[in-house]
């Protein structure tokens, strides 16, 4: 898509006070073009506007423009603005590169929804309706908890879709799980934080900025919640609906045990509802928060259902922690974009968000099915562990194969993660080799070829 150039600019120039004013203006304009501050095609202010801004005679500006036109720095046509010439390119800066990190030839990194699946037309339509209907005070300073329209919509949606008990007054909108984790680390009572032995390393690093962490074992029935009793933890972060990355579900007895630990010790369970909406073999299991809203803090976001580019998440906060969370958010963090909050609220209320989630659930289920069929046909010795859910799958490998397969994948440009990448350094679980395959990451047309590349490196 062609981009339209700015037709007029407010131009800041620092003029050398020594020497002539015209020479100073000429030097300042050359420097601005040479450095790239004034890009090719940009229109300069009129003689009158620039002379008024800089306190110069109009003739001085006109003569300087004419000089730079003659030298090829600027272009001018009768009846049109004076512009930066396209031939005047900024010199490259030594050691600098404008190139983005190269994309892998095949992308199976976990936690990355298909970027082409973002519902652009739905988002735009919801944004138009929401902003037109919004009261004027929506565009002033807001409640640090977030817009009431979104909190009300989330209250209804989470109760209906995830079994969460959520009063709008106890929902705090944030920019995602990472921001929620930062605030929670700063507001939870003193003491270590318990983490599952497998999880995202950058989540652990957020917690460890201010706390120590302890690792809880993970097996086929989820986190070993009984291990909480032998720790001095004040909080535990769990992914009960679909453990990341192993893909298992926390069984009912362990859910109850974790809640009972929180009641007995005054601790808090922080429920990361990772992939909670994407269960393919049955209806999604309800959130753990419903067992005890005063001991379980529920956290979710749209990073998987819509896009990580839409920086909206939410916390359903126990009453005893609400004031502290609001205080930290109000002091340290700006609120999430009001326009985005209003747009998401309209999507939820209108049912468009539900329809999009259902569409993506069917699409990702088809992708997981293709992955399973391909492995069954060509690599039957490789087993997918965990439940039929989420945006990634763990492929269990024979001992000693993880590093070998990962190296082979890197040679053909296939990006994915070894299971060991997500293991807590203090974990005592039995070590087994595996690959975490994010089957949601490739675009729709690239997915079959990407699976063929995966099969080839598993040989």
């Amino acid at each position: 898509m062609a981009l339209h150039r700015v037709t007029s600019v407010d131009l800041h120039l620092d003029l050398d006070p020594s020497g002539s004013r015209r020479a100073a203006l000429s030097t300042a304009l050359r420097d601005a073009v040479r450095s790239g501050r004034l890009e090719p095609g940009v229109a300069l202010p009129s003689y009158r506007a620039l002379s008024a801004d800089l306190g110069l005679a109009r003739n001085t500006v006109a003569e300087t423009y004419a000089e730079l036109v003659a030298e090829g720095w600027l272009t001018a046509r009768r009846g049109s603005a004076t512009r930066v010439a396209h031939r005047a390119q900024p010199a490259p800066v030594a050691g600098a590169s404008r190139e983005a990190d190269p994309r892998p030839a095949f992308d199976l990194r976990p936690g990355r929804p298909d970027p082409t699946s973002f519902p652009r037309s739905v988002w735009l339509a919801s944004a138009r309706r929401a902003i037109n209907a919004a009261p004027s005070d929506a565009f002033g300073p807001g409640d640090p908890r977030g817009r009431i329209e979104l909190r009300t919509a989330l209250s209804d949606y989470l109760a209906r879709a995830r079994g969460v008990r959520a009063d709008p007054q106890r929902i705090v909108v944030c920019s995602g799980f990472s921001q929620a984790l930062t605030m929670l680390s700063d507001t939870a009572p003193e003491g270590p934080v318990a983490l599952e032995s497998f999880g995202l390393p950058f989540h652990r690093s957020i917690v460890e900025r201010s706390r120590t962490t302890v690792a809880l074992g993970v097996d086929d029935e989820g986190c070993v919640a009984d291990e909480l009793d032998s720790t001095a933890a004040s909080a535990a972060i769990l992914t009960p609906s679909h453990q990341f990355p192993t893909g298992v579900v926390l069984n009912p007895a362990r859910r109850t045990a974790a809640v009972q630990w929180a009641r007995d010790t005054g601790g808090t369970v922080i429920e990361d509802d990772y992939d909670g909406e994407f269960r393919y073999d049955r209806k999604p299991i309800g959130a753990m928060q419903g067992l005890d809203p005063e001991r379980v803090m529920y956290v979710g976001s749209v990073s998987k259902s819509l896009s990580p580019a839409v920086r909206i998440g939410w916390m359903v906060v126990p009453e005893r922690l609400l004031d502290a969370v609001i205080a930290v958010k109000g002091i340290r963090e700006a609120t999430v974009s009001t326009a985005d909050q209003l747009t998401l609220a309209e999507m939820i209320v209108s049912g468009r968000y539900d329809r999009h989630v259902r569409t993506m659930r069917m699409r990702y289920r088809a992708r997981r099915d293709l992955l399973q069929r391909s492995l069954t046909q060509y690599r039957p010795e490789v087993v997918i562990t965990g439940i039929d859910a989420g945006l990634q799958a763990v492929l269990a490998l024979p001992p000693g194969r993880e590093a070998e397969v990962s190296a082979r994948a890197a040679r053909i440009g296939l990006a994915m993660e070894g299971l060991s990448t997500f293991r807590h350094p203090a974990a005592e679980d039995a070590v087994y080799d595996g690959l975490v395959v994010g089957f949601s990451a490739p675009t729709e047309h690239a997915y079959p070829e990407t699976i063929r590349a995966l099969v080839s490196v598993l040989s």
Side-chain angles (χ1 to χ4, degrees), residues 316-348:
V316 183
V317 185
E319 184 68 33
R320 61 195 167 84
L321 299 177
L322 185 59
D323 288 344
V325 169
I326 292 173
V328 169
K329 184 172 188 287
I331 293 170
R332 300 188 184 180
E333 300 289 346
T335 55
V336 179
S337 163
T338 293
D340 287 349
Q341 291 185 59
L342 294 171
T343 300
L344 179 58
E346 201 282 335
M347 278 189 71
I348 294 172

Side-chain angles (χ1 to χ4, degrees), residues 47-375:
Y47 304 154
R48 177 176 298 174
L50 189 60
S51 63
D53 288 346
L54 299 179
L56 301 176
R58 183 179 173 187
N59 285 344
T60 299
V61 176
E63 291 167 1
T64 303
Y65 278 13
E67 175 187 347
L68 297 182
V69 167
E71 293 177 1
W73 293 95
L74 307 178
T75 60
R77 290 187 302 170
R78 184 180 298 276
S80 180
T82 302
R83 297 179 180 271
V84 177
H86 282 273
R87 61 178 292 185
Q89 299 293 336
V93 179
S97 174
R98 293 178 179 266
E99 294 182 4
D101 293 335
R103 293 182 179 179
F106 309 102
D107 193 353
L108 288 174
R109 289 172 290 183
R112 295 168 179 257
D114 176 2
T116 65
S117 69
F118 183 74
R120 301 185 191 210
S121 60
V122 171
W123 183 264
L124 286 171
S126 292
R128 185 177 300 111
R129 291 186 180 92
I131 291 173
N132 283 338
S136 297
D137 65 7
F139 304 101
D143 188 323
R145 288 172 295 186
R147 286 297 305 176
I148 187 60
E149 294 91 341
L150 178 56
R151 290 187 283 120
T152 301
L154 285 171
S155 176
D156 295 340
Y157 173 78
L158 294 174
R160 169 172 52 80
R162 304 296 301 125
V164 173
R165 288 190 273 168
D167 186 308
Q169 301 306 315
R170 288 170 55 176
I171 294 177
V172 177
V173 178
C174 57
S175 63
F177 187 76
S178 294
Q179 186 193 15
L181 198 54
T182 300
M183 291 188 286
L184 298 175
S185 296
D186 292 345
T187 55
E190 292 298 322
V193 174
L195 305 174
E196 294 165 331
S197 57
F198 287 90
L200 288 167
F202 76 89
H203 286 172
R204 186 176 70 246
S205 68
I206 290 172
V207 176
E208 290 179 345
R209 291 172 188 168
S210 58
R211 304 295 183 98
T212 58
T213 62
V214 295
L216 304 173
V218 173
D219 59 22
D220 291 343
E221 295 185 326
C223 172
V224 185
D226 289 345
E227 293 181 3
L228 282 166
D229 293 331
S230 61
T231 72
S234 62
I237 301 171
L238 307 181
T239 52
S241 296
H242 189 228
Q243 203 282 328
F244 180 87
T246 63
V248 297
V249 174
L250 187 61
N251 78 7
R254 292 184 179 183
R255 288 182 174 219
T256 301
V259 171
Q260 192 60 50
W261 163 82
R263 290 170 178 164
D264 293 343
T265 63
T268 303
V269 174
I270 299 165
E271 178 179 11
D272 178 3
D273 197 22
Y274 193 92
D275 286 348
E277 296 158 313
F278 294 104
R279 183 78 185 254
Y280 309 127
D281 57 346
R282 50 168 287 181
K283 184 178 179 180
I285 293 175
M288 184 175 167
Q289 186 261 8
L291 295 176
D292 191 338
E294 282 305 313
R295 288 296 160 189
V296 181
M297 181 183 299
Y298 178 89
V299 184
S301 77
V302 297
S303 63
K304 306 299 182 294
S305 57
L306 283 176
S307 167
V310 180
R311 303 306 306 158
I312 298 181
W314 48 83
M315 300 178 283
V316 183
V317 185
E319 184 68 33
R320 61 195 167 84
L321 299 177
L322 185 59
D323 288 344
V325 169
I326 292 173
V328 169
K329 184 172 188 287
I331 293 170
R332 300 188 184 180
E333 300 289 346
T335 55
V336 179
S337 163
T338 293
D340 287 349
Q341 291 185 59
L342 294 171
T343 300
L344 179 58
E346 201 282 335
M347 278 189 71
I348 294 172
V349 171
S350 68
R352 294 183 181 88
Y353 182 75
D354 284 78
R355 289 194 289 274
H356 173 73
V357 169
R358 286 197 296 270
T359 297
M360 298 313 300
R361 190 182 293 136
M362 291 187 292
R363 183 176 301 178
Y364 291 147
R365 176 177 183 170
R367 291 189 178 200
R368 195 179 194 279
D369 289 347
L370 177 58
L371 171 63
Q372 181 67 77
R373 288 196 305 270
S374 299
L375 293 175

